[in-house]
Amino acid sequence: GENVEQHPSTLSVQEGDSAVIKCTYSDSASNYFPWYKQELGKRPQLIIDIRSNVGEKKDQRIAVTLNKTAKHFSLHITETQPEDSAVYFCAFSDSGGYNKLIFGAGTRLAVHP
Amino acid sequence: SAVISQKPSRDICQRGTSLTIQCQVDSQVTMMFWYRQQPGQSLTLIATANQGSEATYESGFVIDKFPISRPNLTFSTLTVSNMSPEDSSIYLCSVVGGGTDTQYFGPGTRLTVL
């Protein structure tokens, strides 16, 4: 069935370091790959997304790369700050956001001052 | 983006009872979804709430347990029926609208079943 594997499950970095989270999906029809950040007790917030016709997208310190051949996509956070500490979820869909999102298991990122 | 509210924000319920959760949006939206997030876990789609017709349920979720209504383009309810402790989770609605296909999430309803 549809699923996405997300690694690592936990990630601890020092402030200023980079963090990389990788997801591998199963459905070749997938065309939309959002990343959500969820702080403790809060709702998931979209931080960046990418579509299958693009290989990379960047927004300030955050970037996402997509390798359709290998069916994986990655989140890159540079110059990490303590406020980046949260759980990050990757997801995918075959119809943009108009269809169900299949979520990864999440990565708990801790950024230490 | 649309402003999404959910009621109640949290509740503690007794086994065997039912709870109805409301999701209200401040503007008309195209799609509304209901997700479940069990403690410390990821998000799983329960169903797509269809305006004016029966919801579309995902595998493992049934209408008798999770009846859903969507009477218009700004409002939906999810009922958790005949609750057991295993239903203790955060229930989140998400919406798509406003000319984009981004899913935005409501603040969630934290349910504890004793």
Side-chain angles (χ1 to χ4, degrees):
Chain A
E2 303 161 317
N3 68 81
V4 55
E5 295 185 2
Q6 184 171 344
H7 296 282
S9 56
T10 61
L11 183 56
S12 182
V13 300
Q14 290 297 125
E15 183 176 1
D17 288 350
S18 295
V20 180
I21 304 169
K22 181 177 176 179
C23 287
T24 304
Y25 60 98
S26 59
D27 187 358
S28 299
S30 303
N31 61 12
Y32 177 63
F33 308 90
W35 286 89
Y36 286 84
K37 174 185 179 182
Q38 187 174 34
E39 297 176 75
L40 188 64
K42 301 289 184 61
R43 73 185 81 187
Q45 299 267 19
L46 179 77
I47 56 172
I48 197 167
D49 58 9
I50 193 168
R51 299 175 195 275
S52 59
N53 59 345
V54 176
E56 182 174 1
K57 184 177 179 181
K58 189 172 182 180
D59 183 3
Q60 299 183 341
R61 297 186 297 108
I62 295 172
V64 56
T65 58
L66 172 65
N67 183 326
K68 289 167 51 181
T69 302
K71 294 184 188 175
H72 63 71
F73 57 112
S74 300
L75 178 70
H76 305 253
I77 306 174
T78 58
E79 303 172 29
T80 55
Q81 301 167 1
E83 50 266 38
D84 294 330
S85 297
V87 179
Y88 292 81
F89 293 100
C90 66
F92 72 90
S93 168
D94 62 4
S95 297
Y98 292 112
N99 203 358
K100 66 179 180 181
L101 295 176
I102 305 297
F103 282 85
T107 296
R108 183 173 301 277
L109 173 64
V111 181
H112 301 285
Chain B
S1 60
V3 176
I4 310 165
S5 60
Q6 285 186 233
K7 291 182 181 179
S9 59
R10 60 178 61 226
D11 208 342
I12 301 174
C13 300
Q14 295 298 317
R15 175 195 302 262
T17 62
S18 299
L19 176 72
T20 295
I21 303 167
Q22 298 179 3
C23 178
Q24 178 73 57
V25 193
D26 70 343
S27 59
Q28 294 184 346
V29 295
T30 307
M31 307 292 293
M32 296 183 80
F33 303 91
W34 286 98
Y35 288 82
R36 181 176 73 181
Q37 187 173 28
Q38 294 177 300
Q41 303 295 312
S42 184
L43 291 85
T44 301
L45 182 68
I46 297 171
T48 302
N50 299 310
Q51 194 261 328
S53 64
E54 189 172 291
T56 304
Y57 290 85
E58 295 301 306
S59 175
F61 298 96
V62 295
I63 188 171
D64 290 347
K65 176 67 176 176
F66 298 101
I68 288 170
S69 77
R70 189 181 171 194
N72 55 51
L73 295 177
T74 63
F75 184 78
S76 178
T77 66
L78 167 73
T79 299
V80 186
S81 303
N82 187 25
M83 289 184 285
S84 67
E86 293 70 37
D87 295 319
S88 297
S89 291
I90 298 172
Y91 293 86
L92 299 123
C93 66
S94 73
V95 307
V96 179
T100 78
D101 65 351
T102 301
Q103 280 195 32
Y104 293 100
F105 284 87
T109 296
R110 182 180 296 272
L111 171 63
T112 302
V113 184
L114 303 178

